Amino acid sequence: DAKTTQPPSMDCAEGRAANLPCNHSTISGNEYVYWYRQIHSQGPQYIIHGLKNNETNEMASLIITEDRKSSTLILPHATLRDTAVYYCIVRVAESTDKLIFGTGTRLQVFP
Amino acid sequence: SQTIHQWPATLVQPVGSPLSLECTVEGTSNPNLYWYRQAAGRGLQLLFYSVGIGQISSEVPQNLSASRPQDRQFILSSKKLLLSDSGFYLCALNDYNSPLHFGNGTRLTVT
């Protein structure tokens, strides 16, 4: 079973920030939070990951709460091309641990 | 950079026919390799993973098998396809320098 819970769907207006929440209350001390997205009919695309500090890259920002039981992926200026299913996953970094995907959040960006 | 080659992109096969899907990777050595399946409208299910040549771990009992004859080659097979084998098959890799990276997948329809 997936170790994370996410809302099934969200809407966001183009140009606005999209904030996608994820709960991972049973996360272990050595587990990272990973975010992927899957655009229809394509393989999942890695977005970002973090352990306990907030992270930012060219695609998104990741905010992890101090107790590490939840996190938020932020797309600062959503575009129509950001419409996708977003998956939040916890695992030990770069290990052979199984990467278990939940059902994710379907983000719809509208004009 | 790491590259995953999967072919074919789409495949239509009759029930009872054999299957062989090949995945080859570049830009890495001794990677962990994975086969995932996504049924229509469903999440990603881990089928097999491999940490080295000839080493295969199966996650779910099923009509499929996997082999890793070379370091950068991962093959998914079936002797007799079932209707329930239809889905989107994704090969993925990671090593100790990178998060999990997915190929573009093969969409299999069993008729």
Side-chain angles (χ1 to χ4, degrees):
Chain A
D1 290 337
K3 298 171 68 175
T4 62
T5 55
Q6 300 175 252
S9 63
M10 294 182 65
D11 291 338
C12 179
E14 189 177 21
R16 303 295 295 269
N19 297 291
L20 294 103
C22 179
N23 288 323
H24 31 80
S25 58
T26 61
I27 192 170
S28 300
N30 62 345
E31 287 183 315
Y32 286 66
V33 180
Y34 283 78
W35 283 84
Y36 285 78
R37 73 179 182 185
Q38 187 176 23
I39 296 169
H40 183 63
S41 296
Q42 297 182 21
Q45 176 191 23
Y46 165 78
I47 301 173
I48 198 167
H49 74 285
L51 184 62
K52 50 186 175 182
N53 297 323
N54 298 337
E55 301 287 344
T56 295
N57 63 20
E58 65 278 5
M59 292 182 68
S61 295
L62 174 60
I63 308 299
I64 303 174
T65 58
E66 192 169 343
D67 63 8
R68 303 210 322 123
K69 293 185 177 182
S70 65
S71 60
T72 301
L73 179 75
I74 301 173
L75 309 178
H77 305 285
T79 70
L80 297 178
R81 286 177 292 181
D82 291 323
T83 293
V85 178
Y86 287 77
Y87 296 98
C88 168
I89 302 151
V90 297
R91 76 193 292 258
V92 177
E94 275 71 272
S95 75
T96 57
D97 286 359
K98 299 165 287 188
L99 197 65
I100 305 298
F101 285 76
T103 53
T105 296
R106 183 172 298 278
L107 176 67
Q108 180 69 52
V109 181
F110 57 91
Chain B
S1 62
Q2 297 169 345
T3 306
I4 300 175
H5 301 281
Q6 279 191 255
W7 65 92
T10 60
L11 186 61
V12 179
Q13 292 283 107
V15 168
S17 64
L19 173 75
S20 181
L21 298 181
E22 187 164 343
C23 169
T24 60
V25 304
E26 297 176 354
T28 181
S29 295
N30 195 31
N32 302 322
L33 297 175
Y34 306 79
W35 279 110
Y36 282 84
R37 177 173 63 196
Q38 188 172 36
R42 306 287 297 275
L44 287 127
Q45 179 186 33
L46 177 63
L47 301 177
F48 301 96
Y49 70 94
S50 170
V51 300
I53 296 173
Q55 301 179 64
I56 308 295
S57 296
S58 174
E59 287 301 303
V60 292
Q62 59 206 319
N63 185 41
L64 302 167
S65 62
S67 62
R68 186 169 176 178
Q70 300 180 43
D71 181 47
R72 283 171 270 189
Q73 184 183 31
F74 204 24
I75 298 171
L76 184 71
S77 304
S78 173
K79 293 182 179 178
K80 289 185 179 181
L81 283 170
L82 306 172
L83 288 175
S84 58
D85 292 324
S86 293
F88 190 40
Y89 288 83
L90 289 152
C91 178
L93 76 85
N94 74 330
D95 59 26
Y96 282 88
N97 292 317
S98 68
L100 199 65
H101 174 59
F102 287 83
N104 287 326
T106 294
R107 189 163 301 281
L108 171 67
T109 303
V110 182
T111 60

